Amino acid sequence: MGVVCLGPGTTYATEGNMGIIRSAHLDFVAAHASDGAYLAACAHDMNLAGSNIHIDAASQARMGKRYAKGLLNQFGYLPYGAEGPKISSATRSGAVVTVNISQNGGTALADGAGGSGSALLGFRVYDAGSPCTISSTVISGNTVVLTLSATPAGSVTMDYAMANAPYGSTTAPASVVYDNDTIPGDTLGLPLQPHALMVVT
């Protein structure tokens, strides 16, 4: 069973519900991988059409290529599918949070515009449950470095791509973290997988 991690949505759902479903998708794959479940692709970086719930035609074509890559991996024709990179851990020193990312077929990270990630969105950091302001972002090797506007005083947690529309209703490529595992006929790599709320150590 190939599971597609839910795309963006700005209507028909209370904020946060899309993230609950994405988290459930990832949990299902982790729990049932030995039974044949796999992450076919992630759709959270897709652009919405005029309905604010359905993805546009260009995004549909992009998702089709990702599904095909995932299936070719399942059939043994490619060494990697379309899961994309994932967050492995996050650490903090003062006001700086370093997000560690594990590759899954790619060898480098960049934003969707091929840049250093100075305009990334989708990360949310909390100080004892209260949202923190992220003043700057940058991709450094296999990490994303988030600089907060103030040093947290309490326990710090973080999630990624768990808002209903994590990059706004239309994706700005420079807002999204991608690897360099491009698919023939496409210019983007695979997006960083969503991650539910986690403790920053």
Side-chain angles (χ1 to χ4, degrees):
M1 175 181 287
V3 176
V4 178
C5 201
L6 190 67
T10 58
T11 56
Y12 309 117
T14 301
E15 177 57 47
N17 285 349
M18 308 293 266
I20 291 171
I21 297 170
R22 290 185 194 117
S23 183
H25 285 159
L26 296 170
D27 288 346
F28 178 86
V29 170
H32 296 281
S34 61
D35 301 323
Y38 71 100
L39 185 59
C42 290
H44 59 284
D45 65 318
M46 297 293 99
N47 288 323
L48 292 171
S51 65
N52 292 328
I53 194 67
H54 299 291
I55 61 175
D56 63 17
S59 295
Q60 291 176 36
R62 175 163 282 140
M63 288 306 296
K65 294 180 176 74
R66 291 180 184 175
Y67 301 156
K69 180 175 171 61
L71 283 170
L72 287 169
N73 170 251
Q74 290 297 306
F75 294 148
Y77 294 111
L78 291 176
Y80 295 98
E83 301 96 320
K86 65 185 298 183
I87 294 171
S88 56
S89 64
T91 60
R92 179 179 68 88
S93 177
V96 176
V97 174
T98 301
V99 183
N100 301 301
I101 296 170
S102 299
Q103 291 282 1
N104 187 28
T107 58
L109 299 174
D111 62 42
S116 64
S118 62
L120 298 178
L121 299 175
F123 292 94
R124 299 187 298 190
V125 179
Y126 302 91
D127 178 2
S130 297
C132 298
T133 298
I134 300 172
S135 59
S136 68
T137 62
V138 67
I139 294 169
S140 178
N142 283 323
T143 69
V144 172
V145 180
L146 311 173
T147 301
L148 309 179
S149 62
T151 300
S155 58
V156 178
T157 53
M158 183 200 80
D159 67 14
Y160 177 70
M162 285 293 160
N164 286 4
Y167 318 110
S169 59
T170 300
T171 302
S175 299
V176 188
V177 182
Y178 289 93
D179 67 12
N180 61 345
D181 187 9
T182 57
I183 298 171
D186 201 351
T187 57
L188 292 177
L190 298 171
L192 179 64
Q193 295 178 29
H195 200 293
L197 198 66
M198 63 186 293
V199 174
V200 178
T201 58

